[in-house]
Amino acid sequence: MTVRSTARMIALPDSDARRGQVRWAPIRSLWTIGMTGSALVLAPLYMTPGAVALWLMTSAVTLCLGHSIGLHRLLIHRSFTAPLWLERVLVYLGTLVGMAGPLGMVRLHDTRDWAQRQVACHDLHAHRAPLLRDAWWQMHCRLDLTHPPRFEPEARLCDDRFLMWLERNWMAQQLPWALLFFWIGGMPWLVWGVPVRVAIGVTGHWLVGHVTHRRGPQGWTVDDVPVQGHDLPAAALITFGEAWHGNHHAWPDSARLGIEPGQHDPGWWVLIALRRMGLVHDLKEPAMLAPREGLHRVVKQGDALG
């Protein structure tokens, strides 16, 4: 069986994406339980219009500018270029989502991407488990592969002192904002500005990943891989384009995720605005990229008849 490498995941002779042990990750799990539990208990007690507005605004900024644009499209895939100061601002905002530090996010993403490019992979990386088990695995556990690939991040990641500082202190980044929100708006702003935002962001990220790796419409398929990407059109706007996951599997280095007519991609709209302001450059689109090996267009029945 051929074991494929990716840019940062180097396959060793015995690397295997199938065999491994799912183990509880206590720090990650307690963080998630703490944020989710606080949100469930406190949010109804401290709901005010201002607090809900703060949650909506901070969620939009951290999930769109931070996670989708800063961490995913820029730090992980390098689908566009930005000056270092802006890259650091975007990555910082992505860290505030509360899933992991920047290097941790790169490793989690690239390990999953590597596994999904093999002929077969573990159920955790395929989101193949039932809903509640997958939720436990993805948000509270880690998969220790028996024979993993070697993770080799580029120097611009592992030698960046700012990124390493964020990696060591990613949970603590919530504290200054918690204090600021409490000072301005008391407990309602604190509760909705930190634990509610983090809990919904982390849970929503898992849920979209669970669905888009299992079912839904497809525009593309890739040969000889254990997991296909699917789209979730209903979540396109609230995920800032990340729900076009079938497109992302087909064109992973594209800065544009909603590539078909009518596919709304707010993250792309923001990038276009930033390009007009001269702040970002070299935005990659599918027409500029080489197709993945084994990529095929899904021909729908109406298209075939037409």
Side-chain angles (χ1 to χ4, degrees):
M1 181 181 69
T2 301
V3 183
R4 306 177 178 99
S5 295
T6 62
R8 301 186 187 99
M9 289 292 174
I10 309 303
L12 305 175
D14 61 349
S15 292
D16 190 337
R18 298 167 298 171
R19 291 195 293 272
Q21 183 69 39
V22 178
R23 293 187 172 91
W24 182 51
I27 295 176
R28 182 183 184 192
S29 179
L30 292 173
W31 169 260
T32 303
I33 290 171
M35 287 293 172
T36 305
S38 298
L40 290 173
V41 172
L42 299 176
L45 301 177
Y46 294 102
M47 179 183 291
T48 66
V52 174
L54 175 70
W55 164 66
L56 289 171
M57 180 185 70
T58 54
S59 294
V61 170
T62 56
L63 288 170
C64 183
L65 285 173
H67 177 77
S68 181
I69 293 177
L71 287 176
H72 193 200
R73 305 189 207 203
L74 178 55
L75 196 69
I76 292 172
H77 288 289
R78 293 294 168 188
S79 62
F80 66 95
T81 59
L84 183 59
W85 70 265
L86 179 57
E87 177 177 328
R88 288 176 170 174
V89 168
L90 295 173
V91 169
Y92 170 75
L93 292 173
T95 302
L96 288 178
V97 173
M99 285 190 281
L103 273 294
M105 287 299 300
V106 172
R107 184 165 195 152
L108 284 169
H109 176 282
D110 283 15
T111 302
R112 185 183 308 275
D113 180 63
W114 172 83
Q116 292 179 353
R117 288 171 182 260
Q118 308 310 310
V119 175
C121 72
H122 192 279
D123 287 351
L124 182 144
H125 285 145
H127 287 273
R128 204 176 285 126
L131 185 74
L132 293 181
R133 183 187 302 168
D134 192 55
W136 173 252
W137 281 3
Q138 304 294 340
M139 293 188 286
H140 299 271
C141 300
R142 68 178 187 272
L143 173 61
D144 292 333
L145 290 173
T146 305
H147 299 290
R150 185 172 65 247
F151 179 53
E152 291 188 358
E154 57 269 38
R156 66 180 299 165
L157 295 182
C158 55
D159 293 345
D160 188 309
R161 293 183 179 180
F162 178 74
L163 294 183
M164 297 307 297
W165 175 75
L166 280 181
E167 186 66 26
R168 290 190 299 269
N169 303 287
W170 65 271
M171 293 182 186
Q173 301 309 315
Q174 308 296 337
L175 291 176
W177 295 100
L179 293 172
L180 178 64
F181 294 154
F182 182 75
W183 180 61
I184 295 174
M187 282 297 292
W189 276 43
L190 170 60
V191 170
W192 284 81
V194 179
V196 172
R197 173 181 54 79
V198 171
I200 293 177
V202 171
T203 304
H205 181 269
W206 156 73
L207 184 59
V208 170
H210 179 82
V211 173
T212 57
H213 286 105
R214 293 169 63 97
R215 63 181 67 89
Q218 289 179 286
W220 311 85
T221 60
V222 181
D223 290 341
D224 300 323
V225 296
V227 185
Q228 300 289 341
H230 301 262
D231 296 326
L232 185 59
L237 290 175
I238 62 172
T239 61
F240 306 99
E242 294 289 331
W244 302 115
H245 204 65
N247 294 343
H248 181 60
H249 271 233
W251 307 98
D253 293 331
S254 173
R256 185 174 187 175
L257 302 181
I259 62 178
E260 307 287 356
Q263 291 185 341
H264 302 306
D265 184 356
W268 174 252
W269 303 339
V270 171
L271 284 172
I272 292 297
L274 292 174
R275 183 171 66 180
R276 289 174 178 168
M277 296 167 62
L279 293 175
V280 301
H281 308 278
D282 305 321
L283 273 64
K284 298 176 185 175
E285 298 186 59
M288 307 171 185
L289 301 169
R292 279 186 62 175
E293 182 180 354
L295 182 66
H296 297 286
R297 197 77 166 89
V298 173
V299 179
K300 300 176 177 61
Q301 187 175 8
D303 297 336
L305 292 175

